[in-house]
Amino acid sequence: MGACPGSCGARPGRAGGGPPAPVAVHRLRVTHVLLPVFVLVRRADTAVVIGAALAAKAVGAGQRRIAALLGRPVETVRGWLRRFAARLESVRAVFTRWCRALLADPVLLGPAGSAWADTLAAITAAATAVRSRFGDLAPNLDSDLDSEVGGVGELARSQSVWMTAVAVSAGRLLAPGWPGSDPWSGSTPAAPATS
């Protein structure tokens, strides 16, 4: 278990090794909650549902169509798309750096046809690099997601792609201020791959 992401050093967990619980840090008057790697900070939907919306937008679907496919309110989908659209290039750059850091000789994709498609291609390439280096993060989860994301393609259903996106962004893929000016903001880079 990791320590508090702030400066207090609190360590989450329950006596007896049970699941993590919120950690109340009284001297700082804060409560930290460790999120699983399939959810984003301050979002009710899982990363795979939000990723399905982003993937659908990358192939040209509009917000109303995406909302209908996912069974989510149009306002919710519009918020995801606006937030992501405002940071396409910086998100693409972060995931491209991760791809290059994880593999000695990464195969980086060329232009995919739009800024949306380019960014999703970079996220997918980083997830492929993670899978290549460390193995699949979610080998048995993809088959359970078909009904949840409603036919918007393999990228939308790929749990490991969105788990990678959550891990790289420290859950802040759609949070204000991410990515910052630091290319590794919100995450700890892996040691470069060696040949």
Side-chain angles (χ1 to χ4, degrees), residues 27-157:
R27 70 173 188 233
L28 296 178
R29 296 182 184 200
V30 238
T31 300
H32 301 291
V33 176
L34 297 178
L35 298 174
V37 74
F38 55 85
V39 296
L40 294 170
V41 172
R42 301 179 64 195
R43 303 292 164 188
D45 290 293
T46 63
V48 77
V49 172
I50 295 169
L54 303 179
K57 177 66 176 173
V59 296
Q63 61 194 15
R64 293 185 196 290
R65 171 106 174 102
I66 296 168
L69 279 171
L70 299 176
R72 300 302 189 269
V74 173
E75 296 79 17
T76 299
V77 171
R78 182 182 304 125
W80 298 338
L81 300 179
R82 282 184 181 169
R83 178 75 63 161
F84 199 70
R87 60 185 69 186
L88 288 171
E89 179 57 29
S90 56
V91 170
R92 185 200 59 75
V94 166
F95 282 92
T96 299
R97 284 185 194 106
W98 270 94
C99 187
R100 292 177 57 209
L102 289 166
L103 297 176
D105 190 19
V107 176
L108 299 176
L109 304 173
S114 71
W116 278 88
D118 291 348
T119 302
L120 274 284
I123 292 171
T124 304
T128 301
V130 167
R131 200 168 29 256
S132 173
R133 185 151 178 195
F134 302 110
D136 196 353
L137 299 176
N140 300 316
L141 296 178
D142 289 345
S143 61
D144 298 332
L145 299 171
D146 290 332
S147 62
E148 189 176 5
V149 298
V152 290
E154 184 64 29
L155 173 60
R157 289 192 314 272

Side-chain angles (χ1 to χ4, degrees), residues 1-5 9-23 32-35:
M1 285 269 159
C4 164
R11 300 189 76 69
R14 293 186 178 160
V23 177
H32 301 291
V33 176
L34 297 178
L35 298 174

